[in-house]
Amino acid sequence: MRELKITPIHHGTVIDHIGSGLALEVLRIIGVGTLDKESTVSVAIHVRSGKLGWKDIVKVENIELSPRTVNAIALIAPTATISIIHDYKVREKRTVDLPPRIVGVLRCPNPNCISNQPEPIESEFDVVERRPVLLRCAFCERPLGEFLRHLA
Amino acid sequence: MSLRGRDIVTIRDLSREEIEGVLADAKKMIPYAEGSKVARPLEEKIVAMAFFEPSTRTRLSFEAAVHRLGGSCLTIADAGATSLRKGESLYDTIRMLSSYADAIVIRHPNEGAAALASRASDRPVINAGDGAGQHPTQTLLDLATMHEAFGTLTGLKVVLLGDLKYGRTVHSLAEALAGFGSEIVLTSPPALRLPDEFRDELRHRGAKIVEEPDVRRAIRDADVLYVTRIQKERFPEESEYRAVAGSYRVDAALLAASKPRLIVMHPLPRAGEIAPEVDGTPHAAYFRQAFLAVPVRMALLRQILVGPKPGGRAS
């Protein structure tokens, strides 16, 4: 019988097939500190996976992720799958997909970029290459490869 | 494609054919820029000069271009005198300006400011330099100077000398030259080399680039020596500035080893990089380059504000 490391959830979202060791980054993107008090978050790190060898899993109760959050997860965990759970059943399951432009999730590494000034705009990055992911600031054109440090 | 109503934020906003079209138009504008012929295609047009950083040459040549074509200017020449000082965002300032003018020319100390302005404005925006970023109209007038001297932009060997790290003019110029199949030789002090990612990108686009730190060797069979100012304001530390300033100097002795037709260019103002003795030699092209700023900007403004005029292209 399959061993359940973490318990199923009633309502919420399961992010599965996260690359091993990246669950904490996913939690940062979801913004665990700002979640509703009724939302229990469970995390499994370094779980056996048929597909990936090892993987991480994050389950968040009573939350459905916004498209922006899903885009951000796609940046760091392109292998992840997202399942929406209703009444213990999977209502919808999809893979994450990197859009051509990432809005608002990252901060430009160039301190002199206009997007780092107090302007009524959000940061924007164009996806220049997908494997490995290479982004470019839509304002100052600075390339961004190591984006984990630049999550806004 | 017509440039009418278009934003010019980077030199990449113009195709090779469009650049050639502007250069051909600029050549025809020369007598109008000199004042020997008069035309007023921009009559009734207002161009806002939004200069949030000190600039003499760029602003004055843009203003001259507008006046020579019969248009008028609204000028912000000192950011301290605007409500940016009261905390107004650049976005709001540009949005307001775009309701007063038919086009906006912007110079700003932050990279990406022109891209932001193009979103804030429903009128065309022309980037006149954003931080260490792009300066596409400088590139156009640089290309016009080379085209006037050699009749072509293809197959030239161009040495870029000096500050290749912070010098915004060389970034735009290198991109454009790459598109015309010219060979680029990079000559700079180690601390001011062209940023790696930028060099890789140019190579990725098929640019022929070599690095030659020895300026004598670099200019041996070159057609153009493009000298840049070591810009004090781009250095975080004054000691860093002093260490590299004056490390390259172009004088008659250096040029004795070059081709007789080599032209020396400089975006000006110079700060000792070119000895005054070079001014009287046939190599000196920098004052011609400064003059061509006016017909080139006239050509661009007319194409953006009025649209194309049937005519030939630069060959």
Side-chain angles (χ1 to χ4, degrees), chain B residues 258-280:
Chain B
S258 73
K259 282 202 218 173
R261 286 198 64 192
L262 170 107
I263 60 167
V264 178
M265 296 174 60
H266 191 298
L268 302 179
R270 59 179 155 174
E273 304 90 3
I274 302 176
E277 68 196 27
V278 180
D279 296 0

PDB file of all heavy atoms in Angstrom, chain B residues 258-280:
ATOM      1  N   SER B 258      47.893  55.488 -39.014  1.00  0.00           N
ATOM      2  CA  SER B 258      46.596  55.013 -39.499  1.00  0.00           C
ATOM      3  C   SER B 258      46.471  55.179 -41.007  1.00  0.00           C
ATOM      4  O   SER B 258      47.323  55.772 -41.650  1.00  0.00           O
ATOM      5  CB  SER B 258      45.478  55.800 -38.814  1.00  0.00           C
ATOM      6  OG  SER B 258      45.432  57.112 -39.353  1.00  0.00           O
ATOM      7  N   LYS B 259      45.368  54.649 -41.572  1.00  0.00           N
ATOM      8  CA  LYS B 259      45.063  54.887 -42.988  1.00  0.00           C
ATOM      9  C   LYS B 259      44.817  56.382 -43.181  1.00  0.00           C
ATOM     10  O   LYS B 259      44.216  57.022 -42.310  1.00  0.00           O
ATOM     11  CB  LYS B 259      43.753  54.178 -43.346  1.00  0.00           C
ATOM     12  CG  LYS B 259      43.835  52.685 -43.564  1.00  0.00           C
ATOM     13  CD  LYS B 259      42.620  52.317 -44.422  1.00  0.00           C
ATOM     14  CE  LYS B 259      41.963  51.037 -44.080  1.00  0.00           C
ATOM     15  NZ  LYS B 259      40.747  50.739 -44.757  1.00  0.00           N
ATOM     16  N   PRO B 260      45.180  56.944 -44.355  1.00  0.00           N
ATOM     17  CA  PRO B 260      44.941  58.380 -44.559  1.00  0.00           C
ATOM     18  C   PRO B 260      43.460  58.738 -44.471  1.00  0.00           C
ATOM     19  O   PRO B 260      43.107  59.849 -44.066  1.00  0.00           O
ATOM     20  CB  PRO B 260      45.474  58.645 -45.974  1.00  0.00           C
ATOM     21  CG  PRO B 260      46.253  57.439 -46.374  1.00  0.00           C
ATOM     22  CD  PRO B 260      45.861  56.304 -45.489  1.00  0.00           C
ATOM     23  N   ARG B 261      42.572  57.799 -44.819  1.00  0.00           N
ATOM     24  CA  ARG B 261      41.138  58.115 -44.835  1.00  0.00           C
ATOM     25  C   ARG B 261      40.431  57.833 -43.505  1.00  0.00           C
ATOM     26  O   ARG B 261      39.213  58.004 -43.414  1.00  0.00           O
ATOM     27  CB  ARG B 261      40.437  57.333 -45.951  1.00  0.00           C
ATOM     28  CG  ARG B 261      40.738  57.882 -47.347  1.00  0.00           C
ATOM     29  CD  ARG B 261      39.722  57.382 -48.344  1.00  0.00           C
ATOM     30  NE  ARG B 261      38.369  57.865 -48.068  1.00  0.00           N
ATOM     31  CZ  ARG B 261      37.287  57.383 -48.649  1.00  0.00           C
ATOM     32  NH1 ARG B 261      37.379  56.397 -49.524  1.00  0.00           N
ATOM     33  NH2 ARG B 261      36.092  57.882 -48.365  1.00  0.00           N
ATOM     34  N   LEU B 262      41.187  57.384 -42.518  1.00  0.00           N
ATOM     35  CA  LEU B 262      40.549  57.113 -41.213  1.00  0.00           C
ATOM     36  C   LEU B 262      39.867  58.372 -40.676  1.00  0.00           C
ATOM     37  O   LEU B 262      40.449  59.455 -40.720  1.00  0.00           O
ATOM     38  CB  LEU B 262      41.604  56.662 -40.195  1.00  0.00           C
ATOM     39  CG  LEU B 262      41.090  56.577 -38.748  1.00  0.00           C
ATOM     40  CD1 LEU B 262      40.933  55.142 -38.304  1.00  0.00           C
ATOM     41  CD2 LEU B 262      41.978  57.331 -37.781  1.00  0.00           C
ATOM     42  N   ILE B 263      38.627  58.234 -40.206  1.00  0.00           N
ATOM     43  CA  ILE B 263      37.991  59.390 -39.570  1.00  0.00           C
ATOM     44  C   ILE B 263      37.913  59.167 -38.058  1.00  0.00           C
ATOM     45  O   ILE B 263      37.709  58.048 -37.591  1.00  0.00           O
ATOM     46  CB  ILE B 263      36.585  59.719 -40.135  1.00  0.00           C
ATOM     47  CG1 ILE B 263      35.604  58.551 -39.959  1.00  0.00           C
ATOM     48  CG2 ILE B 263      36.663  60.134 -41.601  1.00  0.00           C
ATOM     49  CD1 ILE B 263      34.146  58.941 -40.216  1.00  0.00           C
ATOM     50  N   VAL B 264      38.121  60.256 -37.319  1.00  0.00           N
ATOM     51  CA  VAL B 264      38.026  60.213 -35.857  1.00  0.00           C
ATOM     52  C   VAL B 264      36.686  60.829 -35.468  1.00  0.00           C
ATOM     53  O   VAL B 264      36.370  61.950 -35.872  1.00  0.00           O
ATOM     54  CB  VAL B 264      39.175  60.986 -35.190  1.00  0.00           C
ATOM     55  CG1 VAL B 264      39.035  60.967 -33.667  1.00  0.00           C
ATOM     56  CG2 VAL B 264      40.525  60.405 -35.597  1.00  0.00           C
ATOM     57  N   MET B 265      35.906  60.063 -34.710  1.00  0.00           N
ATOM     58  CA  MET B 265      34.592  60.558 -34.270  1.00  0.00           C
ATOM     59  C   MET B 265      34.563  60.622 -32.746  1.00  0.00           C
ATOM     60  O   MET B 265      35.307  59.929 -32.067  1.00  0.00           O
ATOM     61  CB  MET B 265      33.478  59.634 -34.786  1.00  0.00           C
ATOM     62  CG  MET B 265      33.374  59.621 -36.299  1.00  0.00           C
ATOM     63  SD  MET B 265      32.166  58.407 -36.911  1.00  0.00           S
ATOM     64  CE  MET B 265      30.654  58.987 -36.149  1.00  0.00           C
ATOM     65  N   HIS B 266      33.667  61.456 -32.222  1.00  0.00           N
ATOM     66  CA  HIS B 266      33.531  61.601 -30.763  1.00  0.00           C
ATOM     67  C   HIS B 266      32.145  62.199 -30.518  1.00  0.00           C
ATOM     68  O   HIS B 266      31.761  63.159 -31.194  1.00  0.00           O
ATOM     69  CB  HIS B 266      34.617  62.548 -30.240  1.00  0.00           C
ATOM     70  CG  HIS B 266      34.732  62.547 -28.735  1.00  0.00           C
ATOM     71  ND1 HIS B 266      33.707  62.938 -27.901  1.00  0.00           N
ATOM     72  CD2 HIS B 266      35.758  62.190 -27.920  1.00  0.00           C
ATOM     73  CE1 HIS B 266      34.114  62.811 -26.646  1.00  0.00           C
ATOM     74  NE2 HIS B 266      35.345  62.362 -26.627  1.00  0.00           N
ATOM     75  N   PRO B 267      31.362  61.634 -29.579  1.00  0.00           N
ATOM     76  CA  PRO B 267      30.016  62.196 -29.351  1.00  0.00           C
ATOM     77  C   PRO B 267      30.068  63.590 -28.710  1.00  0.00           C
ATOM     78  O   PRO B 267      29.042  64.275 -28.696  1.00  0.00           O
ATOM     79  CB  PRO B 267      29.338  61.180 -28.435  1.00  0.00           C
ATOM     80  CG  PRO B 267      30.461  60.404 -27.812  1.00  0.00           C
ATOM     81  CD  PRO B 267      31.614  60.447 -28.758  1.00  0.00           C
ATOM     82  N   LEU B 268      31.225  64.009 -28.202  1.00  0.00           N
ATOM     83  CA  LEU B 268      31.422  65.307 -27.555  1.00  0.00           C
ATOM     84  C   LEU B 268      30.476  65.468 -26.344  1.00  0.00           C
ATOM     85  O   LEU B 268      29.414  64.889 -26.353  1.00  0.00           O
ATOM     86  CB  LEU B 268      31.229  66.474 -28.534  1.00  0.00           C
ATOM     87  CG  LEU B 268      32.147  66.478 -29.779  1.00  0.00           C
ATOM     88  CD1 LEU B 268      31.807  67.690 -30.655  1.00  0.00           C
ATOM     89  CD2 LEU B 268      33.625  66.507 -29.393  1.00  0.00           C
ATOM     90  N   PRO B 269      30.783  66.191 -25.318  1.00  0.00           N
ATOM     91  CA  PRO B 269      32.009  66.980 -25.195  1.00  0.00           C
ATOM     92  C   PRO B 269      33.227  66.099 -24.920  1.00  0.00           C
ATOM     93  O   PRO B 269      33.110  65.087 -24.252  1.00  0.00           O
ATOM     94  CB  PRO B 269      31.713  67.873 -23.992  1.00  0.00           C
ATOM     95  CG  PRO B 269      30.742  67.093 -23.164  1.00  0.00           C
ATOM     96  CD  PRO B 269      29.924  66.292 -24.129  1.00  0.00           C
ATOM     97  N   ARG B 270      34.367  66.529 -25.440  1.00  0.00           N
ATOM     98  CA  ARG B 270      35.581  65.769 -25.165  1.00  0.00           C
ATOM     99  C   ARG B 270      36.212  66.309 -23.881  1.00  0.00           C
ATOM    100  O   ARG B 270      36.003  67.469 -23.533  1.00  0.00           O
ATOM    101  CB  ARG B 270      36.558  65.851 -26.335  1.00  0.00           C
ATOM    102  CG  ARG B 270      37.006  67.247 -26.689  1.00  0.00           C
ATOM    103  CD  ARG B 270      37.986  67.248 -27.851  1.00  0.00           C
ATOM    104  NE  ARG B 270      37.946  68.528 -28.542  1.00  0.00           N
ATOM    105  CZ  ARG B 270      38.773  68.853 -29.528  1.00  0.00           C
ATOM    106  NH1 ARG B 270      39.680  67.993 -29.944  1.00  0.00           N
ATOM    107  NH2 ARG B 270      38.681  70.023 -30.110  1.00  0.00           N
ATOM    108  N   ALA B 271      36.978  65.467 -23.227  1.00  0.00           N
ATOM    109  CA  ALA B 271      37.635  65.898 -21.986  1.00  0.00           C
ATOM    110  C   ALA B 271      39.091  65.474 -22.054  1.00  0.00           C
ATOM    111  O   ALA B 271      39.581  64.756 -21.211  1.00  0.00           O
ATOM    112  CB  ALA B 271      36.932  65.291 -20.777  1.00  0.00           C
ATOM    113  N   GLY B 272      39.761  65.907 -23.125  1.00  0.00           N
ATOM    114  CA  GLY B 272      41.186  65.599 -23.245  1.00  0.00           C
ATOM    115  C   GLY B 272      41.495  64.312 -23.979  1.00  0.00           C
ATOM    116  O   GLY B 272      42.661  63.963 -24.146  1.00  0.00           O
ATOM    117  N   GLU B 273      40.448  63.576 -24.447  1.00  0.00           N
ATOM    118  CA  GLU B 273      40.740  62.316 -25.144  1.00  0.00           C
ATOM    119  C   GLU B 273      41.339  62.554 -26.511  1.00  0.00           C
ATOM    120  O   GLU B 273      42.047  61.703 -27.043  1.00  0.00           O
ATOM    121  CB  GLU B 273      39.467  61.469 -25.327  1.00  0.00           C
ATOM    122  CG  GLU B 273      38.714  61.139 -24.073  1.00  0.00           C
ATOM    123  CD  GLU B 273      37.655  62.178 -23.717  1.00  0.00           C
ATOM    124  OE1 GLU B 273      37.468  63.149 -24.486  1.00  0.00           O
ATOM    125  OE2 GLU B 273      37.020  62.004 -22.694  1.00  0.00           O
ATOM    126  N   ILE B 274      40.990  63.705 -27.144  1.00  0.00           N
ATOM    127  CA  ILE B 274      41.517  64.006 -28.479  1.00  0.00           C
ATOM    128  C   ILE B 274      42.279  65.327 -28.386  1.00  0.00           C
ATOM    129  O   ILE B 274      41.709  66.348 -27.982  1.00  0.00           O
ATOM    130  CB  ILE B 274      40.377  64.140 -29.512  1.00  0.00           C
ATOM    131  CG1 ILE B 274      39.558  62.842 -29.561  1.00  0.00           C
ATOM    132  CG2 ILE B 274      40.952  64.461 -30.900  1.00  0.00           C
ATOM    133  CD1 ILE B 274      38.357  62.910 -30.478  1.00  0.00           C
ATOM    134  N   ALA B 275      43.557  65.287 -28.771  1.00  0.00           N
ATOM    135  CA  ALA B 275      44.385  66.508 -28.709  1.00  0.00           C
ATOM    136  C   ALA B 275      43.869  67.525 -29.721  1.00  0.00           C
ATOM    137  O   ALA B 275      43.463  67.144 -30.823  1.00  0.00           O
ATOM    138  CB  ALA B 275      45.831  66.149 -29.014  1.00  0.00           C
ATOM    139  N   PRO B 276      43.884  68.829 -29.360  1.00  0.00           N
ATOM    140  CA  PRO B 276      43.388  69.864 -30.286  1.00  0.00           C
ATOM    141  C   PRO B 276      44.119  69.856 -31.628  1.00  0.00           C
ATOM    142  O   PRO B 276      43.558  70.264 -32.638  1.00  0.00           O
ATOM    143  CB  PRO B 276      43.641  71.168 -29.529  1.00  0.00           C
ATOM    144  CG  PRO B 276      43.743  70.781 -28.098  1.00  0.00           C
ATOM    145  CD  PRO B 276      44.276  69.392 -28.053  1.00  0.00           C
ATOM    146  N   GLU B 277      45.369  69.353 -31.650  1.00  0.00           N
ATOM    147  CA  GLU B 277      46.129  69.322 -32.913  1.00  0.00           C
ATOM    148  C   GLU B 277      45.456  68.441 -33.968  1.00  0.00           C
ATOM    149  O   GLU B 277      45.715  68.591 -35.156  1.00  0.00           O
ATOM    150  CB  GLU B 277      47.563  68.831 -32.657  1.00  0.00           C
ATOM    151  CG  GLU B 277      47.632  67.363 -32.242  1.00  0.00           C
ATOM    152  CD  GLU B 277      48.958  66.954 -31.612  1.00  0.00           C
ATOM    153  OE1 GLU B 277      49.619  67.830 -31.025  1.00  0.00           O
ATOM    154  OE2 GLU B 277      49.322  65.772 -31.698  1.00  0.00           O
ATOM    155  N   VAL B 278      44.580  67.530 -33.538  1.00  0.00           N
ATOM    156  CA  VAL B 278      43.879  66.654 -34.499  1.00  0.00           C
ATOM    157  C   VAL B 278      42.800  67.435 -35.250  1.00  0.00           C
ATOM    158  O   VAL B 278      42.467  67.108 -36.393  1.00  0.00           O
ATOM    159  CB  VAL B 278      43.265  65.425 -33.767  1.00  0.00           C
ATOM    160  CG1 VAL B 278      42.525  64.508 -34.738  1.00  0.00           C
ATOM    161  CG2 VAL B 278      44.350  64.635 -33.036  1.00  0.00           C
ATOM    162  N   ASP B 279      42.290  68.504 -34.635  1.00  0.00           N
ATOM    163  CA  ASP B 279      41.168  69.264 -35.211  1.00  0.00           C
ATOM    164  C   ASP B 279      41.423  69.709 -36.654  1.00  0.00           C
ATOM    165  O   ASP B 279      40.523  69.707 -37.478  1.00  0.00           O
ATOM    166  CB  ASP B 279      40.863  70.521 -34.379  1.00  0.00           C
ATOM    167  CG  ASP B 279      40.395  70.188 -32.972  1.00  0.00           C
ATOM    168  OD1 ASP B 279      40.320  68.978 -32.654  1.00  0.00           O
ATOM    169  OD2 ASP B 279      40.121  71.126 -32.204  1.00  0.00           O
ATOM    170  N   GLY B 280      42.681  70.107 -36.942  1.00  0.00           N
ATOM    171  CA  GLY B 280      42.994  70.633 -38.264  1.00  0.00           C
ATOM    172  C   GLY B 280      43.333  69.562 -39.285  1.00  0.00           C
ATOM    173  O   GLY B 280      43.600  69.890 -40.444  1.00  0.00           O
TER     174      GLY B 280
END
